[in-house]
Amino acid sequence: NWYVDDFSGFMSIALISLGISAVWLTAYRRMDRLKPEPISMTLYAFLSAVVIHVGLAIIVAAMLGKAASYGTRGIIGQLLLALRQAVIPAFSLYTVFSLYIFRLESFDEAVDGLIYGGFVGTGIAFSSGMMDFVGRESVSFQYVALTIISKSTVYAAIGALAGFLLNYGITIGKKRYQACAVLLSIACFEGELLIENLLDRSLLYATMDILRVVVAVAMALCVFAVTMVLIIRTLRTSQGSDQAKSPPERRLGGFGVKAVVAFFLFVFLCSSALRWKAEETRRFPAEGGAWSFCLPEGFKEQKGL
């Protein structure tokens, strides 16, 4: 095992994660054979996804405060997991596209949404895995490799689908495709989290680490197949149109502001729910009101025989 607090162990984990991410970056870059994207743009998209995802995770953690360590069971716990594992990655993907990808001169084809979405999804998978590793005392090579492989496989496919929908929605000027891209990516990330939790609940499947990779590949293939069908239909529809020759200027319009407001409103609601749960106690006053005591959250009253 590598100890995360040791510099050599941390660097080993980072290098392995970067190596696996580089494989997926190369794979998605080679999909665009007619007009390959510049290597510099590939790296910029990857690094911007890493920085924005980590930054948003830090901002959300600061907003949640110490209350995030309480109420990790039941509905509140599921809400917190959905925020960390689904909403933040989806909003990070949308933020990278809106702030950076759409401004690139090389982003000029319908298939570029798929390509750059794969780059961004791989970056989010890398940062998500590294933040998970840092929260542990030590990790093994097998755990690092299988985690990054499974995450990058699914996240890159989700990013490709969301990137295509964002590109298509902004190109034709319909905001519903932008909203669909964000909501669909949240649903896909939540689906991946649900499958992972189901595997962890089984004593048999939890010990079969390779099963996570198999399930991740199967889910990624389904998402990628849907993306390819949408791209083929779009290319057939747009053949011979003037849109392919002179694509209109891409503008996010008012949806970008609405998405930011909705994201931070959701974070605020999560923070309020967690703080309310953390402060919840059970009070037992005396009949005369002379004294009282309370049980903190997590403790239960048990009457003696």
Side-chain angles (χ1 to χ4, degrees):
N1 287 3
W2 288 304
Y3 290 91
V4 180
D5 57 354
D6 183 65
F7 179 76
S8 60
F10 178 81
M11 289 303 300
S12 300
I13 296 171
L15 290 176
I16 292 175
S17 302
L18 283 174
I20 298 174
S21 299
V23 174
W24 284 108
L25 292 175
T26 304
Y28 273 86
R29 183 174 179 272
R30 290 179 63 86
M31 290 181 187
D32 193 7
R33 294 181 176 271
L34 296 179
K35 189 178 178 182
E37 303 303 320
I39 297 180
S40 58
M41 296 298 100
T42 303
L43 297 177
Y44 289 159
F46 174 79
L47 293 176
S48 61
V50 173
V51 172
I52 288 178
H53 184 243
V54 173
L56 286 177
I58 293 175
I59 293 174
V60 171
M63 292 181 65
L64 294 177
K66 295 182 180 179
S69 60
Y70 299 97
T72 56
R73 294 174 294 179
I75 298 178
I76 301 299
Q78 295 301 320
L79 190 66
L80 183 60
L81 282 177
L83 175 63
R84 289 175 175 173
Q85 303 295 333
V87 180
I88 293 180
F91 192 76
S92 300
L93 192 151
Y94 172 78
T95 304
V96 174
F97 267 87
S98 60
L99 295 181
Y100 177 67
I101 302 299
F102 289 124
R103 304 177 187 273
L104 297 177
E105 295 181 358
S106 59
F107 194 80
D108 53 0
E109 297 176 337
V111 74
D112 286 345
L114 180 149
I115 304 302
Y116 280 99
F119 298 159
V120 175
T122 304
I124 295 175
F126 170 80
S127 58
S128 177
M130 290 302 298
M131 286 189 291
D132 178 46
F133 302 149
V134 170
R136 300 175 180 271
E137 181 178 353
S138 63
V139 292
S140 64
F141 168 79
Q142 180 179 351
Y143 179 79
V144 172
L146 294 180
T147 299
I148 293 297
I149 290 174
S150 59
K151 279 185 176 294
S152 58
T153 303
V154 176
Y155 282 28
I158 297 174
L161 177 58
F164 168 75
L165 291 176
L166 284 173
N167 181 30
Y168 184 73
I170 293 176
T171 300
I172 65 176
K174 293 185 178 180
K175 297 180 181 179
R176 66 172 180 267
Y177 285 96
Q178 303 174 39
C180 181
V182 177
L183 295 177
L184 187 59
S185 58
I186 292 177
C188 290
F189 284 123
E190 183 65 23
E192 189 267 343
L193 177 62
L194 177 61
I195 294 175
E196 183 179 346
N197 290 337
L198 290 176
L199 293 177
D200 289 336
R201 291 180 181 180
S202 174
L203 295 177
L204 176 62
Y205 297 149
T207 58
M208 300 171 61
D209 294 332
I210 193 62
L211 184 61
R212 298 178 182 273
V213 179
V214 174
V215 173
V217 171
M219 182 177 179
L221 288 176
C222 294
V223 175
F224 195 78
V226 173
T227 308
M228 294 304 298
V229 171
L230 292 175
I231 289 178
I232 293 174
R233 291 185 60 183
T234 303
L235 292 177
R236 289 179 178 177
T237 304
S238 61
Q239 280 183 350
S241 64
D242 295 333
Q243 183 181 7
K245 298 180 181 179
S246 57
E249 183 181 359
R250 300 179 176 90
R251 295 181 180 179
L252 289 175
F255 180 75
V257 177
K258 295 179 181 178
V260 173
V261 173
F263 173 75
F264 284 104
L265 178 62
F266 183 75
V267 174
F268 175 76
L269 292 177
C270 290
S271 177
S272 300
L274 287 171
R275 294 179 189 279
W276 171 78
K277 193 68 176 178
E279 295 174 358
E280 185 181 71
T281 57
R282 296 191 62 186
R283 299 184 178 276
F284 300 88
E287 294 182 359
W291 56 269
S292 65
F293 70 95
C294 60
L295 293 176
E297 170 64 19
F299 289 82
K300 296 182 179 179
E301 178 188 9
Q302 183 176 1
K303 298 181 179 180
L305 298 178

